[in-house]
Amino acid sequence: MSLFGGVTSQARSRNLVEFKAGKMLLRGTMVHPDKRKGLVYLYQGNDMLMHFCWKERSSSTPEDDLVIFPDEIEFKKVTQNTTGRVYILKWRSNARKLFFWMQEPKDDKDEEWCKKINDLLNHPPTPGFGDDSSGTGGLGSGAHPLQSLMDRMAGSSGAGGIDPNDLSNVLRGMNPNDLASLLSSVGSGSGAPGLMQDAFGQQTPDSRPNTAPAATRSTGTATATATGGTTSASSSSRPSGSSSSKPRNAGTSSSPSTAPPKSGTSLETTTGGPKGGPIKMSALADILSNLSDKNTTQETGNATAAKPTIDLYDIMTAENLIPILSNKDIQETLRTHLPEGSTISGSENELRESIQSPQFRQAVSAFSVALQTGQLGPVLAQFGLPEEAITAANQGDIQAFAQAMEKHYKKTNEESDEKKSSDNTMDTS
Amino acid sequence: MASGEWCLIESDPGVFTDLINGFEANGVQVEEIFSLDDDSLQQMKPCHGLIFLFKWQETDASNENMVKDSRLDEIFFAKQVITNACATQAIVSVLLNCTHEDLKLGSTLSEFKEFAQAFDPQMRGLALSNSEKIRYVHNSFARQQLFEFDSRDEKKDEDAFHFIAYIPFKGRLYELDGLKEAPIDHGAIPTDTEWTDIARPIVRQRMEKYSEGEIHFSLMAVVSELRRKYERQLEQILADSALTDDERNDKTSHLSILIHEEERKRESYRIENLRRRHNWLPFIVEMLKAYATQGLLVPAVDKAVVAKEAEKKRETDKKRKRI
């Protein structure tokens, strides 16, 4: 389903790897080769998903086209069969298996292909910012880094544009910095970025005034609201519900306000923007607001991808719990937050059991992921946690969070301890 | 067409038992069976259905022995429409096919049965997925969704089980698999034979198949409420004048232990449920504050990060070596 009436793009990259291989069929407990001459190949779709395919060489369409996610499979040589060159595509989470036999005359590249399949399926190439795995060709120097993406979106690669569903998939796969850059290019209008505007410039009479270079006012508006959009998408802590309407308003409200003539000084080619099917601002806004609602996990997850995600439950070891649970004050406080009706004896054991329960464990895991994907800022702010901790939470930085917490609470504790000891001039023994 | 969302629930005998009670059905409970070979099934009879759960969304392709005749009108079989609902679907299927006196179906399920009896399997599946009441109870056992997203995007998906139920129905053994078109007939149950004895080799075959593929599976049994059974037995023993005092004491103390065990089980289900539905956020925040106060938070977090990084490195090294 395409907004601009063109052919929905199914265009995709060249095959990332391909080699001649036949299928094998499982009959009972034995595997028999399918004699047909075939081809195993991988490609990455516009939606960034990896496809593992097999087709008969005489055919143009694949007989099998499987979408494979990272860490889902393993492709390896079958060692029981020593005579043939049989390989297995094995799923990790269930018993599914597919077998293939190499049909390339020489086996010197078997291992290389095997490795490539594993690498590509488990570490798919990231969207085209300068990489040409997407087959859109290399970027000229000085081209906007998002040029290839824009090209694809506009279909200048010859495929007729991008389906909004694909678009949301693509945007979802982008890392937040690039996404922010893309969004800011929506509003800036001056210079090379402004690609999106160019796109709109082509489309309807409404949007044209929007993009006329002289209309810096509308540009300004667009920038402001688009930036609003930026923040909501890339810094996931803020709720994005309201921002979705803004870009749309910018689109409509600024059109009457701009005097300049539809002289069509719209900027087509000066900035080398896309020529093909443009994308409606409103559709993009919708998609982006959906993204910020649902997918901030992944975006910010990418941003903090440097550090692996830890599970806070792992720090709640028996050893660590001792000083916590033996403190009467802490015990009391914690107890008040236990589910009602679950405290029977109200003893330390009770607390320990709750902490060791699978339900609590899941809650802590969920909390950990939420914290490290920057979603907990606003929620934690309501608990009156120190500002530095909230900032760290917004950034998904758990180590900074821990440091900020200790900085505030440990100090307070030590101070009050000092105060207590200085108050007690007498030894009460 | 199915309206309303069905949440993922745990595959746990406590959850399933409470689910049944939530539907206002009484007289049965769900127990996990760990071994087909020992006496556990024997001890827990009468058994009204076996539910085999395994972590695989597909099912084998064979269509042998599929029921195609008028029995389809009698056996309650529904096609699986919603993945998350399949636990409830399996349980409801067992209950709606059970005619044992111990089971009191209750109004919710009885009404549903009446309503859906005349439909074909596909429509029955849809009817189930559209049943507000049933869905409501099902969702009340969902995990706490503290945050907007689903933390299980790590594709661990522990609960994406597929369920297959085995039931005795009018003297024959049937397999109900929501991913298939109809029930599968596994043959007659000879008189004076426990239906579970007939089911045993069939279930065992499945277990072996999935073990090979390293697929996790569990077996649950829907049995008559154990506590009530033990209490009845207790009454009988107390009333039995033919027993010696010693014999009587022996048996009653044994039963008392079993009854106590059941009470303990129910109590722990209750607490688990409380914990499941509880918002742990304030508790977690207090714990983190406590750790921070004691100066334990930073070292523990740093240590965990280092450990995780090392683990990741080991994983990538392992992967490289394998290839």
PDB file of all heavy atoms in Angstrom, chain A residues 70-71 74 293 309 316 337 341 360 362 375-376 399 406 409 413, chain B residues 143 147-149 155 270 278 289 291 293 295 297-298 302 308 319:
ATOM      1  N   PRO A  70      18.376 -12.192  14.158  1.00  0.00           N
ATOM      2  CA  PRO A  70      19.667 -12.512  14.777  1.00  0.00           C
ATOM      3  C   PRO A  70      19.521 -13.536  15.885  1.00  0.00           C
ATOM      4  O   PRO A  70      18.532 -13.534  16.616  1.00  0.00           O
ATOM      5  CB  PRO A  70      20.127 -11.173  15.355  1.00  0.00           C
ATOM      6  CG  PRO A  70      19.429 -10.154  14.552  1.00  0.00           C
ATOM      7  CD  PRO A  70      18.138 -10.754  14.108  1.00  0.00           C
ATOM      8  N   ASP A  71      20.516 -14.405  15.982  1.00  0.00           N
ATOM      9  CA  ASP A  71      20.573 -15.424  17.033  1.00  0.00           C
ATOM     10  C   ASP A  71      19.444 -16.432  16.960  1.00  0.00           C
ATOM     11  O   ASP A  71      19.176 -17.131  17.926  1.00  0.00           O
ATOM     12  CB  ASP A  71      20.579 -14.781  18.433  1.00  0.00           C
ATOM     13  CG  ASP A  71      21.842 -13.986  18.633  1.00  0.00           C
ATOM     14  OD1 ASP A  71      22.893 -14.417  18.096  1.00  0.00           O
ATOM     15  OD2 ASP A  71      21.804 -12.948  19.287  1.00  0.00           O
ATOM     16  N   GLU A  74      21.545 -21.323  13.365  1.00  0.00           N
ATOM     17  CA  GLU A  74      22.959 -21.633  13.215  1.00  0.00           C
ATOM     18  C   GLU A  74      23.070 -22.398  11.904  1.00  0.00           C
ATOM     19  O   GLU A  74      22.223 -23.258  11.626  1.00  0.00           O
ATOM     20  CB  GLU A  74      23.356 -22.543  14.369  1.00  0.00           C
ATOM     21  CG  GLU A  74      24.798 -22.529  14.731  1.00  0.00           C
ATOM     22  CD  GLU A  74      25.110 -23.616  15.739  1.00  0.00           C
ATOM     23  OE1 GLU A  74      24.217 -23.958  16.539  1.00  0.00           O
ATOM     24  OE2 GLU A  74      26.225 -24.116  15.700  1.00  0.00           O
ATOM     25  N   ASP A 293       6.425   6.019  20.731  1.00  0.00           N
ATOM     26  CA  ASP A 293       5.642   5.317  21.733  1.00  0.00           C
ATOM     27  C   ASP A 293       6.143   3.914  21.963  1.00  0.00           C
ATOM     28  O   ASP A 293       6.330   3.498  23.082  1.00  0.00           O
ATOM     29  CB  ASP A 293       4.164   5.228  21.283  1.00  0.00           C
ATOM     30  CG  ASP A 293       3.446   6.534  21.546  1.00  0.00           C
ATOM     31  OD1 ASP A 293       3.891   7.269  22.435  1.00  0.00           O
ATOM     32  OD2 ASP A 293       2.467   6.803  20.862  1.00  0.00           O
ATOM     33  N   THR A 309      23.369  -4.988  28.707  1.00  0.00           N
ATOM     34  CA  THR A 309      22.306  -4.783  29.688  1.00  0.00           C
ATOM     35  C   THR A 309      22.466  -5.751  30.835  1.00  0.00           C
ATOM     36  O   THR A 309      22.611  -6.953  30.616  1.00  0.00           O
ATOM     37  CB  THR A 309      20.943  -5.041  29.017  1.00  0.00           C
ATOM     38  OG1 THR A 309      20.961  -4.436  27.747  1.00  0.00           O
ATOM     39  CG2 THR A 309      19.820  -4.476  29.834  1.00  0.00           C
ATOM     40  N   MET A 316      21.149  -8.791  43.686  1.00  0.00           N
ATOM     41  CA  MET A 316      20.466  -9.095  44.948  1.00  0.00           C
ATOM     42  C   MET A 316      20.828 -10.487  45.446  1.00  0.00           C
ATOM     43  O   MET A 316      19.975 -11.337  45.654  1.00  0.00           O
ATOM     44  CB  MET A 316      18.952  -8.973  44.736  1.00  0.00           C
ATOM     45  CG  MET A 316      18.580  -7.536  44.388  1.00  0.00           C
ATOM     46  SD  MET A 316      16.824  -7.382  44.022  1.00  0.00           S
ATOM     47  CE  MET A 316      16.746  -5.678  43.521  1.00  0.00           C
ATOM     48  N   HIS A 337       5.796  -2.262  51.579  1.00  0.00           N
ATOM     49  CA  HIS A 337       5.567  -2.332  50.136  1.00  0.00           C
ATOM     50  C   HIS A 337       5.320  -3.729  49.625  1.00  0.00           C
ATOM     51  O   HIS A 337       5.266  -3.954  48.415  1.00  0.00           O
ATOM     52  CB  HIS A 337       6.750  -1.714  49.393  1.00  0.00           C
ATOM     53  CG  HIS A 337       6.906  -0.253  49.670  1.00  0.00           C
ATOM     54  ND1 HIS A 337       5.960   0.677  49.316  1.00  0.00           N
ATOM     55  CD2 HIS A 337       7.889   0.435  50.292  1.00  0.00           C
ATOM     56  CE1 HIS A 337       6.358   1.874  49.700  1.00  0.00           C
ATOM     57  NE2 HIS A 337       7.520   1.768  50.297  1.00  0.00           N
ATOM     58  N   GLY A 341      -1.690  -8.905  52.395  1.00  0.00           N
ATOM     59  CA  GLY A 341      -2.199 -10.266  52.554  1.00  0.00           C
ATOM     60  C   GLY A 341      -1.124 -11.314  52.376  1.00  0.00           C
ATOM     61  O   GLY A 341      -1.370 -12.493  52.537  1.00  0.00           O
ATOM     62  N   PHE A 360       8.782 -11.629  41.774  1.00  0.00           N
ATOM     63  CA  PHE A 360       9.594 -10.454  42.076  1.00  0.00           C
ATOM     64  C   PHE A 360      10.766 -10.376  41.111  1.00  0.00           C
ATOM     65  O   PHE A 360      11.121  -9.318  40.602  1.00  0.00           O
ATOM     66  CB  PHE A 360      10.103 -10.512  43.514  1.00  0.00           C
ATOM     67  CG  PHE A 360      10.969  -9.345  43.889  1.00  0.00           C
ATOM     68  CD1 PHE A 360      10.410  -8.090  44.069  1.00  0.00           C
ATOM     69  CD2 PHE A 360      12.341  -9.489  44.032  1.00  0.00           C
ATOM     70  CE1 PHE A 360      11.205  -6.996  44.391  1.00  0.00           C
ATOM     71  CE2 PHE A 360      13.147  -8.405  44.354  1.00  0.00           C
ATOM     72  CZ  PHE A 360      12.574  -7.160  44.535  1.00  0.00           C
ATOM     73  N   GLN A 362      10.959 -11.399  38.082  1.00  0.00           N
ATOM     74  CA  GLN A 362      10.527 -10.879  36.777  1.00  0.00           C
ATOM     75  C   GLN A 362      10.345  -9.380  36.828  1.00  0.00           C
ATOM     76  O   GLN A 362      10.680  -8.667  35.885  1.00  0.00           O
ATOM     77  CB  GLN A 362       9.180 -11.476  36.380  1.00  0.00           C
ATOM     78  CG  GLN A 362       9.257 -12.843  35.774  1.00  0.00           C
ATOM     79  CD  GLN A 362       7.949 -13.571  35.956  1.00  0.00           C
ATOM     80  OE1 GLN A 362       6.898 -12.941  36.103  1.00  0.00           O
ATOM     81  NE2 GLN A 362       7.989 -14.881  35.980  1.00  0.00           N
ATOM     82  N   GLN A 375      13.665   4.562  30.019  1.00  0.00           N
ATOM     83  CA  GLN A 375      12.226   4.822  30.124  1.00  0.00           C
ATOM     84  C   GLN A 375      11.762   5.211  31.506  1.00  0.00           C
ATOM     85  O   GLN A 375      10.606   5.571  31.699  1.00  0.00           O
ATOM     86  CB  GLN A 375      11.455   3.569  29.723  1.00  0.00           C
ATOM     87  CG  GLN A 375      11.651   3.223  28.268  1.00  0.00           C
ATOM     88  CD  GLN A 375      10.758   2.092  27.880  1.00  0.00           C
ATOM     89  OE1 GLN A 375       9.563   2.144  28.096  1.00  0.00           O
ATOM     90  NE2 GLN A 375      11.330   1.042  27.330  1.00  0.00           N
ATOM     91  N   LEU A 376      12.642   5.066  32.486  1.00  0.00           N
ATOM     92  CA  LEU A 376      12.150   5.206  33.849  1.00  0.00           C
ATOM     93  C   LEU A 376      12.290   6.594  34.450  1.00  0.00           C
ATOM     94  O   LEU A 376      11.877   6.818  35.575  1.00  0.00           O
ATOM     95  CB  LEU A 376      12.852   4.188  34.757  1.00  0.00           C
ATOM     96  CG  LEU A 376      12.359   2.761  34.578  1.00  0.00           C
ATOM     97  CD1 LEU A 376      13.012   1.865  35.611  1.00  0.00           C
ATOM     98  CD2 LEU A 376      10.850   2.684  34.711  1.00  0.00           C
ATOM     99  N   GLN A 399      25.082   2.649  35.483  1.00  0.00           N
ATOM    100  CA  GLN A 399      26.219   2.890  36.379  1.00  0.00           C
ATOM    101  C   GLN A 399      26.160   4.312  36.930  1.00  0.00           C
ATOM    102  O   GLN A 399      26.408   4.539  38.111  1.00  0.00           O
ATOM    103  CB  GLN A 399      27.541   2.611  35.659  1.00  0.00           C
ATOM    104  CG  GLN A 399      27.804   1.118  35.546  1.00  0.00           C
ATOM    105  CD  GLN A 399      29.058   0.800  34.759  1.00  0.00           C
ATOM    106  OE1 GLN A 399      29.145   1.081  33.585  1.00  0.00           O
ATOM    107  NE2 GLN A 399      30.021   0.197  35.421  1.00  0.00           N
ATOM    108  N   GLU A 406      24.121   6.576  45.228  1.00  0.00           N
ATOM    109  CA  GLU A 406      25.014   6.477  46.380  1.00  0.00           C
ATOM    110  C   GLU A 406      25.464   7.849  46.827  1.00  0.00           C
ATOM    111  O   GLU A 406      25.533   8.127  48.031  1.00  0.00           O
ATOM    112  CB  GLU A 406      26.227   5.600  46.056  1.00  0.00           C
ATOM    113  CG  GLU A 406      25.973   4.154  46.382  1.00  0.00           C
ATOM    114  CD  GLU A 406      27.240   3.321  46.490  1.00  0.00           C
ATOM    115  OE1 GLU A 406      28.323   3.898  46.732  1.00  0.00           O
ATOM    116  OE2 GLU A 406      27.117   2.101  46.350  1.00  0.00           O
ATOM    117  N   TYR A 409      22.347   9.138  48.813  1.00  0.00           N
ATOM    118  CA  TYR A 409      21.840   8.426  49.983  1.00  0.00           C
ATOM    119  C   TYR A 409      22.921   8.010  50.956  1.00  0.00           C
ATOM    120  O   TYR A 409      22.710   8.011  52.160  1.00  0.00           O
ATOM    121  CB  TYR A 409      21.020   7.204  49.555  1.00  0.00           C
ATOM    122  CG  TYR A 409      19.698   7.601  48.965  1.00  0.00           C
ATOM    123  CD1 TYR A 409      19.485   7.553  47.597  1.00  0.00           C
ATOM    124  CD2 TYR A 409      18.689   8.084  49.774  1.00  0.00           C
ATOM    125  CE1 TYR A 409      18.278   7.947  47.060  1.00  0.00           C
ATOM    126  CE2 TYR A 409      17.480   8.486  49.245  1.00  0.00           C
ATOM    127  CZ  TYR A 409      17.281   8.415  47.887  1.00  0.00           C
ATOM    128  OH  TYR A 409      16.090   8.813  47.354  1.00  0.00           O
ATOM    129  N   ASN A 413      23.202   9.201  54.829  1.00  0.00           N
ATOM    130  CA  ASN A 413      23.282   8.206  55.877  1.00  0.00           C
ATOM    131  C   ASN A 413      24.468   8.462  56.794  1.00  0.00           C
ATOM    132  O   ASN A 413      24.339   8.447  58.008  1.00  0.00           O
ATOM    133  CB  ASN A 413      23.430   6.818  55.232  1.00  0.00           C
ATOM    134  CG  ASN A 413      23.218   5.718  56.241  1.00  0.00           C
ATOM    135  OD1 ASN A 413      22.320   5.807  57.066  1.00  0.00           O
ATOM    136  ND2 ASN A 413      24.037   4.700  56.184  1.00  0.00           N
TER     137      ASN A 413
ATOM    138  N   ARG B 143       1.185 -11.371  33.650  1.00  0.00           N
ATOM    139  CA  ARG B 143       2.280 -10.800  34.419  1.00  0.00           C
ATOM    140  C   ARG B 143       2.063  -9.317  34.519  1.00  0.00           C
ATOM    141  O   ARG B 143       1.534  -8.688  33.636  1.00  0.00           O
ATOM    142  CB  ARG B 143       3.575 -11.046  33.671  1.00  0.00           C
ATOM    143  CG  ARG B 143       3.958 -12.479  33.713  1.00  0.00           C
ATOM    144  CD  ARG B 143       5.338 -12.603  33.219  1.00  0.00           C
ATOM    145  NE  ARG B 143       5.746 -13.975  33.129  1.00  0.00           N
ATOM    146  CZ  ARG B 143       6.793 -14.380  32.468  1.00  0.00           C
ATOM    147  NH1 ARG B 143       7.516 -13.505  31.824  1.00  0.00           N
ATOM    148  NH2 ARG B 143       7.127 -15.646  32.462  1.00  0.00           N
ATOM    149  N   PHE B 147       5.691  -1.501  32.708  1.00  0.00           N
ATOM    150  CA  PHE B 147       6.153  -0.487  31.776  1.00  0.00           C
ATOM    151  C   PHE B 147       5.501  -0.695  30.431  1.00  0.00           C
ATOM    152  O   PHE B 147       4.968  -1.736  30.145  1.00  0.00           O
ATOM    153  CB  PHE B 147       7.671  -0.551  31.663  1.00  0.00           C
ATOM    154  CG  PHE B 147       8.303  -0.713  33.006  1.00  0.00           C
ATOM    155  CD1 PHE B 147       8.866  -1.909  33.372  1.00  0.00           C
ATOM    156  CD2 PHE B 147       8.277   0.323  33.918  1.00  0.00           C
ATOM    157  CE1 PHE B 147       9.426  -2.078  34.621  1.00  0.00           C
ATOM    158  CE2 PHE B 147       8.832   0.159  35.180  1.00  0.00           C
ATOM    159  CZ  PHE B 147       9.406  -1.039  35.521  1.00  0.00           C
ATOM    160  N   GLU B 148       5.606   0.296  29.596  1.00  0.00           N
ATOM    161  CA  GLU B 148       4.904   0.262  28.319  1.00  0.00           C
ATOM    162  C   GLU B 148       5.309  -0.874  27.411  1.00  0.00           C
ATOM    163  O   GLU B 148       4.531  -1.428  26.691  1.00  0.00           O
ATOM    164  CB  GLU B 148       5.158   1.556  27.555  1.00  0.00           C
ATOM    165  CG  GLU B 148       4.291   2.687  27.997  1.00  0.00           C
ATOM    166  CD  GLU B 148       4.675   3.954  27.263  1.00  0.00           C
ATOM    167  OE1 GLU B 148       5.139   3.839  26.113  1.00  0.00           O
ATOM    168  OE2 GLU B 148       4.539   5.019  27.852  1.00  0.00           O
ATOM    169  N   PHE B 149       6.580  -1.157  27.443  1.00  0.00           N
ATOM    170  CA  PHE B 149       7.073  -2.124  26.473  1.00  0.00           C
ATOM    171  C   PHE B 149       7.056  -3.504  27.093  1.00  0.00           C
ATOM    172  O   PHE B 149       6.776  -3.676  28.267  1.00  0.00           O
ATOM    173  CB  PHE B 149       8.491  -1.758  26.082  1.00  0.00           C
ATOM    174  CG  PHE B 149       9.421  -2.006  27.234  1.00  0.00           C
ATOM    175  CD1 PHE B 149      10.269  -3.102  27.235  1.00  0.00           C
ATOM    176  CD2 PHE B 149       9.383  -1.197  28.344  1.00  0.00           C
ATOM    177  CE1 PHE B 149      11.090  -3.351  28.316  1.00  0.00           C
ATOM    178  CE2 PHE B 149      10.200  -1.442  29.434  1.00  0.00           C
ATOM    179  CZ  PHE B 149      11.066  -2.519  29.408  1.00  0.00           C
ATOM    180  N   LYS B 155      13.532 -12.315  22.875  1.00  0.00           N
ATOM    181  CA  LYS B 155      13.185 -13.586  22.244  1.00  0.00           C
ATOM    182  C   LYS B 155      13.415 -14.804  23.115  1.00  0.00           C
ATOM    183  O   LYS B 155      13.690 -15.878  22.634  1.00  0.00           O
ATOM    184  CB  LYS B 155      13.908 -13.740  20.902  1.00  0.00           C
ATOM    185  CG  LYS B 155      13.083 -13.060  19.843  1.00  0.00           C
ATOM    186  CD  LYS B 155      13.658 -12.842  18.469  1.00  0.00           C
ATOM    187  CE  LYS B 155      15.096 -12.679  18.235  1.00  0.00           C
ATOM    188  NZ  LYS B 155      15.705 -13.984  17.988  1.00  0.00           N
ATOM    189  N   ARG B 270      -1.993 -18.897  46.316  1.00  0.00           N
ATOM    190  CA  ARG B 270      -2.603 -17.619  46.669  1.00  0.00           C
ATOM    191  C   ARG B 270      -1.541 -16.528  46.768  1.00  0.00           C
ATOM    192  O   ARG B 270      -1.698 -15.438  46.209  1.00  0.00           O
ATOM    193  CB  ARG B 270      -3.357 -17.755  47.996  1.00  0.00           C
ATOM    194  CG  ARG B 270      -4.170 -16.543  48.389  1.00  0.00           C
ATOM    195  CD  ARG B 270      -4.748 -16.701  49.788  1.00  0.00           C
ATOM    196  NE  ARG B 270      -3.732 -16.588  50.818  1.00  0.00           N
ATOM    197  CZ  ARG B 270      -3.316 -15.437  51.336  1.00  0.00           C
ATOM    198  NH1 ARG B 270      -3.827 -14.304  50.926  1.00  0.00           N
ATOM    199  NH2 ARG B 270      -2.376 -15.441  52.263  1.00  0.00           N
ATOM    200  N   HIS B 278       1.058  -7.782  42.010  1.00  0.00           N
ATOM    201  CA  HIS B 278       1.510  -6.643  42.802  1.00  0.00           C
ATOM    202  C   HIS B 278       2.381  -5.707  41.979  1.00  0.00           C
ATOM    203  O   HIS B 278       3.133  -6.152  41.122  1.00  0.00           O
ATOM    204  CB  HIS B 278       2.305  -7.182  43.995  1.00  0.00           C
ATOM    205  CG  HIS B 278       2.759  -6.152  44.952  1.00  0.00           C
ATOM    206  ND1 HIS B 278       1.889  -5.378  45.675  1.00  0.00           N
ATOM    207  CD2 HIS B 278       3.995  -5.737  45.302  1.00  0.00           C
ATOM    208  CE1 HIS B 278       2.576  -4.550  46.443  1.00  0.00           C
ATOM    209  NE2 HIS B 278       3.852  -4.748  46.242  1.00  0.00           N
ATOM    210  N   LYS B 289      17.397   2.181  47.104  1.00  0.00           N
ATOM    211  CA  LYS B 289      17.801   3.231  48.043  1.00  0.00           C
ATOM    212  C   LYS B 289      18.613   2.609  49.173  1.00  0.00           C
ATOM    213  O   LYS B 289      19.626   3.148  49.601  1.00  0.00           O
ATOM    214  CB  LYS B 289      16.567   3.883  48.668  1.00  0.00           C
ATOM    215  CG  LYS B 289      15.962   5.014  47.881  1.00  0.00           C
ATOM    216  CD  LYS B 289      15.039   5.783  48.811  1.00  0.00           C
ATOM    217  CE  LYS B 289      13.891   6.432  48.088  1.00  0.00           C
ATOM    218  NZ  LYS B 289      12.881   6.914  49.035  1.00  0.00           N
ATOM    219  N   TYR B 291      20.320  -0.177  49.187  1.00  0.00           N
ATOM    220  CA  TYR B 291      21.644  -0.558  48.710  1.00  0.00           C
ATOM    221  C   TYR B 291      22.551   0.660  48.615  1.00  0.00           C
ATOM    222  O   TYR B 291      23.720   0.626  48.971  1.00  0.00           O
ATOM    223  CB  TYR B 291      21.567  -1.208  47.323  1.00  0.00           C
ATOM    224  CG  TYR B 291      21.275  -2.689  47.336  1.00  0.00           C
ATOM    225  CD1 TYR B 291      20.089  -3.190  46.833  1.00  0.00           C
ATOM    226  CD2 TYR B 291      22.203  -3.589  47.844  1.00  0.00           C
ATOM    227  CE1 TYR B 291      19.820  -4.545  46.844  1.00  0.00           C
ATOM    228  CE2 TYR B 291      21.950  -4.944  47.856  1.00  0.00           C
ATOM    229  CZ  TYR B 291      20.752  -5.418  47.352  1.00  0.00           C
ATOM    230  OH  TYR B 291      20.499  -6.756  47.359  1.00  0.00           O
ATOM    231  N   THR B 293      22.310   3.468  50.239  1.00  0.00           N
ATOM    232  CA  THR B 293      22.618   3.956  51.577  1.00  0.00           C
ATOM    233  C   THR B 293      23.777   3.185  52.185  1.00  0.00           C
ATOM    234  O   THR B 293      24.637   3.753  52.850  1.00  0.00           O
ATOM    235  CB  THR B 293      21.383   3.809  52.488  1.00  0.00           C
ATOM    236  OG1 THR B 293      20.260   4.372  51.819  1.00  0.00           O
ATOM    237  CG2 THR B 293      21.590   4.515  53.808  1.00  0.00           C
ATOM    238  N   GLY B 295      26.067   1.810  50.590  1.00  0.00           N
ATOM    239  CA  GLY B 295      27.247   1.842  49.738  1.00  0.00           C
ATOM    240  C   GLY B 295      27.467   0.559  48.964  1.00  0.00           C
ATOM    241  O   GLY B 295      28.571   0.260  48.521  1.00  0.00           O
ATOM    242  N   LEU B 297      25.483  -0.350  46.261  1.00  0.00           N
ATOM    243  CA  LEU B 297      24.921  -0.313  44.921  1.00  0.00           C
ATOM    244  C   LEU B 297      25.985  -0.201  43.830  1.00  0.00           C
ATOM    245  O   LEU B 297      26.003  -0.976  42.876  1.00  0.00           O
ATOM    246  CB  LEU B 297      23.917   0.847  44.815  1.00  0.00           C
ATOM    247  CG  LEU B 297      23.044   0.880  43.561  1.00  0.00           C
ATOM    248  CD1 LEU B 297      22.260  -0.409  43.416  1.00  0.00           C
ATOM    249  CD2 LEU B 297      22.099   2.072  43.607  1.00  0.00           C
ATOM    250  N   VAL B 298      26.856   0.779  43.974  1.00  0.00           N
ATOM    251  CA  VAL B 298      27.860   1.000  42.931  1.00  0.00           C
ATOM    252  C   VAL B 298      28.760  -0.218  42.716  1.00  0.00           C
ATOM    253  O   VAL B 298      28.904  -0.691  41.593  1.00  0.00           O
ATOM    254  CB  VAL B 298      28.695   2.275  43.222  1.00  0.00           C
ATOM    255  CG1 VAL B 298      29.876   2.347  42.268  1.00  0.00           C
ATOM    256  CG2 VAL B 298      27.831   3.516  43.072  1.00  0.00           C
ATOM    257  N   ASP B 302      28.698  -2.223  39.164  1.00  0.00           N
ATOM    258  CA  ASP B 302      29.937  -2.260  38.372  1.00  0.00           C
ATOM    259  C   ASP B 302      30.374  -3.692  38.137  1.00  0.00           C
ATOM    260  O   ASP B 302      30.765  -4.076  37.035  1.00  0.00           O
ATOM    261  CB  ASP B 302      31.044  -1.473  39.084  1.00  0.00           C
ATOM    262  CG  ASP B 302      30.821   0.023  38.995  1.00  0.00           C
ATOM    263  OD1 ASP B 302      29.965   0.455  38.184  1.00  0.00           O
ATOM    264  OD2 ASP B 302      31.498   0.776  39.727  1.00  0.00           O
ATOM    265  N   LYS B 308      29.036  -9.089  32.770  1.00  0.00           N
ATOM    266  CA  LYS B 308      28.252  -9.205  31.545  1.00  0.00           C
ATOM    267  C   LYS B 308      29.131  -9.002  30.319  1.00  0.00           C
ATOM    268  O   LYS B 308      28.981  -9.686  29.309  1.00  0.00           O
ATOM    269  CB  LYS B 308      27.127  -8.177  31.568  1.00  0.00           C
ATOM    270  CG  LYS B 308      25.825  -8.575  30.834  1.00  0.00           C
ATOM    271  CD  LYS B 308      25.416  -9.954  31.136  1.00  0.00           C
ATOM    272  CE  LYS B 308      24.262 -10.562  30.363  1.00  0.00           C
ATOM    273  NZ  LYS B 308      22.977  -9.968  30.543  1.00  0.00           N
ATOM    274  N   LYS B 319      31.298 -18.377  19.357  1.00  0.00           N
ATOM    275  CA  LYS B 319      30.635 -18.422  18.057  1.00  0.00           C
ATOM    276  C   LYS B 319      31.670 -18.475  16.957  1.00  0.00           C
ATOM    277  O   LYS B 319      31.541 -19.224  16.001  1.00  0.00           O
ATOM    278  CB  LYS B 319      29.770 -17.175  17.858  1.00  0.00           C
ATOM    279  CG  LYS B 319      28.383 -17.319  18.448  1.00  0.00           C
ATOM    280  CD  LYS B 319      27.515 -16.147  18.043  1.00  0.00           C
ATOM    281  CE  LYS B 319      26.354 -16.006  19.032  1.00  0.00           C
ATOM    282  NZ  LYS B 319      25.746 -14.701  18.991  1.00  0.00           N
TER     283      LYS B 319
END
